[in-house]
Amino acid sequence: MIVVLRKDANKAKQDQLIEWLKGMGLGIHVSVGEYQTILGLIGDTSKVDMDLIGSLDIVDSVKRVTDTFKCVNRQFHPDDTVVNVGDVKIGGGNFAMIAGPCSVESEEQIVFVAKAVKEAGANLLRGGAFKPRTSPYDFQGLKGEGIELLKIARKETGLPIVTEIMSVSDLPLFEDVDVLQVGARNMQNFDLLKELGRIGKPILLKRGLANTLKELLMSAEYIMASGNEQVILCERGIRTYSDYMRNTLDLSAVPMLHELSHLPVIVDPSHATGIARMVPPMALSAAACGADGLIIEVQ
Ligand code: PEP
Ligand code: MN
């Protein structure tokens, strides 16, 4: 349920209403916009008397939200969320360029790539230290050492770093990481999502290989419901019957996610297609359909 307050609503009365609703065991998400303040009610609202609330002089309107996702819902927060990473803004008209190698392999490699992507216009550096591999025999990443190398590359270039976390138990290693990525394979690792909701860092949440948009939004809801509002959604291709491409980049997800949610949406054309020459046209298409940024792998 959402309660839209009148533009000139008295602050003391607002606080009183919030306390009263909290007293009913509800969570209250307050969104202060330029033109209106919205209270998003989370929990069992079946006993809330809509007519009574609607009759208060500080209330403009009351509406039931039937969607299962609440905090991520645009109805709860009509303005775009802007995620800040140092000086870099993502969302609300700010376009982010994240680039870097799939895996961090050595200091020489990551510093070289970091300088090159900065030169090319990137404003964030990516690189995997923990790698979710299909085969246990493939390189699993440099883990903690990889994170240390990313920090060196950050020091050399000033670019904030984005890297994937796979397990709650690794969290202490990510203390000095700027953006924590949840990869496609972990999109529904609910324990991890809950834990990431308790840290005050931006989370880049990738859509699972075979997950719906509602499932993606519900995963973002896990993070937000635990208290972290800095979530960036990422479309990275889904599995279909496409034969010449690694995955199918679902670009229609971008405007749909923007309609459903206030969170920034970025696109990963690299994992979607798996083919370098497909990246430029897909990146341009992503920008054309309103993406708030790109994450691109660099060899
Ligand atoms: C990656 O970013 O290197 C990665 C493994 O991505 P995804 O989880 O989208 O496959
Ligand atoms: Mn990769």
Side-chain angles (χ1 to χ4, degrees):
M1 183 180 289
I2 59 169
V3 179
V4 181
L5 300 180
R6 282 192 198 283
K7 209 166 167 247
D8 53 356
N10 174 284
K11 179 79 177 68
K13 286 187 179 176
Q14 280 185 43
D15 294 343
Q16 225 175 0
L17 174 60
I18 292 171
E19 284 316 307
W20 180 63
L21 292 166
K22 281 185 180 166
M24 295 171 79
L26 298 168
I28 312 296
H29 179 277
V30 184
S31 165
V32 183
E34 204 177 325
Y35 303 107
Q36 57 189 10
T37 294
I38 291 179
L39 308 181
L41 279 49
I42 302 158
D44 179 9
T45 56
S46 59
K47 291 185 190 70
V48 177
D49 185 340
M50 282 176 75
D51 294 335
L52 175 64
I53 295 177
S55 70
L56 300 175
D57 62 358
I58 59 164
V59 173
D60 184 53
S61 58
V62 187
K63 197 160 70 175
R64 281 211 185 273
V65 175
T66 47
D67 297 319
T68 40
F69 47 92
K70 309 287 182 193
C71 300
V72 306
N73 203 311
R74 194 173 279 280
Q75 293 188 59
F76 269 48
H77 189 293
D79 297 334
D80 288 343
T81 282
V82 178
V83 173
N84 292 289
V85 188
D87 294 339
V88 183
K89 291 187 186 312
I90 309 171
N94 304 284
F95 197 85
M97 281 297 285
I98 309 171
C102 183
S103 318
V104 180
E105 290 163 22
S106 66
E107 179 175 334
E108 197 190 4
Q109 172 240 17
I110 192 66
V111 172
F112 178 83
V113 175
K115 286 181 178 167
V117 298
K118 185 177 180 180
E119 182 72 27
N123 43 13
L124 292 131
L125 173 68
R126 65 146 287 149
F130 290 85
K131 295 304 304 176
R133 297 293 193 198
T134 303
S135 165
Y137 308 119
D138 288 342
F139 176 52
Q140 303 286 308
L142 293 177
K143 306 192 167 71
E145 191 196 333
I147 293 181
E148 292 309 311
L149 297 181
L150 280 166
K151 289 190 214 168
I152 294 173
R154 176 176 60 193
K155 205 163 161 215
E156 292 276 331
T157 58
L159 295 179
I161 52 179
V162 182
T163 194
E164 178 165 352
I165 181 160
M166 287 166 53
S167 162
V168 173
S169 61
D170 295 327
L171 204 46
L173 295 171
F174 287 72
E175 215 156 87
D176 201 16
V177 166
D178 301 296
V179 179
L180 279 66
Q181 173 176 319
V182 176
R185 289 151 195 84
N186 268 310
M187 191 202 88
Q188 289 189 312
N189 180 340
F190 300 119
D191 284 340
L192 179 61
L193 300 176
K194 278 188 257 185
E195 212 52 51
L196 295 179
R198 294 190 191 104
I199 65 168
K201 283 179 189 286
I203 309 297
L204 170 54
L205 178 65
K206 291 185 128 189
R207 181 181 181 182
L209 281 71
N211 285 111
T212 62
L213 297 184
K214 194 181 277 181
E215 286 163 347
L216 172 62
L217 290 170
M218 289 312 296
S219 290
E221 185 80 16
Y222 261 95
I223 301 170
M224 286 195 73
S226 299
N228 188 348
E229 306 205 331
Q230 306 172 77
V231 183
I232 305 154
L233 304 172
C234 178
E235 163 58 38
R236 47 77 70 206
I238 48 172
R239 187 159 285 183
T240 65
Y241 44 84
S242 161
D243 47 4
Y244 288 99
M245 232 93 64
R246 191 167 182 259
N247 289 291
T248 297
L249 183 58
D250 179 11
L251 279 181
S252 57
V254 177
M256 183 55 87
L257 288 169
H258 275 149
E259 202 175 289
L260 296 168
S261 174
H262 51 87
L263 295 173
V265 183
I266 69 164
V267 168
D268 176 347
S270 305
H271 290 90
T273 61
I275 303 169
R277 66 178 187 284
M278 294 293 139
V279 171
M282 290 299 98
L284 290 171
S285 309
C289 70
D292 299 294
L294 293 165
I295 179 165
I296 294 184
E297 274 196 2
V298 174
Q299 287 288 339

